[in-house]
Amino acid sequence: PSPRSCPPHGANGEALRYEIEELKQKDLALDQEIAQLLSEGYSLEELEKHISLLHEYNDIKDAGQMLLGKLAVIRGVTTKQLYPEYDLELSD
């Protein structure tokens, strides 16, 4: 990188130390959250399965939203106007 694109060395080092400290805090918070869930009887495999299912749900929801959007364009209406026709809630 060119000298112009980099911040002064002191400022760059301070920013990196701050970022490292933030990441350490996030890591500690996640470790505590995992420990809490494990103490409540959850297993890591179960948590991983839930995360996987949430990703799948989000992918399916995104595909449904895309289809509703295309249908709305074809009909010349908003996506929101299609929700009642398909018994969907706005929070869906």
Side-chain angles (χ1 to χ4, degrees):
S2 70
R4 290 183 203 152
S5 67
C6 294
H9 181 69
N12 190 31
E14 186 63 32
L16 286 174
R17 281 189 288 281
Y18 179 78
E19 187 175 347
I20 288 169
E21 189 57 37
E22 278 188 327
L23 291 172
K24 285 180 181 179
Q25 292 298 321
K26 286 181 182 179
D27 185 48
L28 179 61
L30 289 171
D31 285 344
Q32 290 172 341
E33 188 175 345
I34 289 170
Q36 174 68 32
L37 291 169
L38 291 174
S39 74
E40 292 174 5
Y42 293 97
S43 69
L44 288 177
E45 294 80 18
E46 184 179 12
L47 294 172
E48 289 172 2
K49 179 67 175 172
H50 283 285
I51 291 169
S52 175
L53 290 171
L54 282 172
H55 284 294
E56 185 177 347
Y57 167 81
N58 284 329
D59 290 344
I60 292 168
K61 183 177 176 183
D62 290 345
Q65 290 294 322
M66 184 185 68
L67 290 172
L68 278 175
K70 290 181 183 275
L71 183 58
V73 168
I74 290 169
R75 292 189 180 177
V77 297
T78 66
T79 304
K80 183 178 177 180
Q81 291 171 310
L82 293 176
Y83 273 56
E85 183 177 340
Y86 295 99
D87 294 323
L88 298 171
E89 299 291 327
L90 288 177
S91 60
D92 288 343

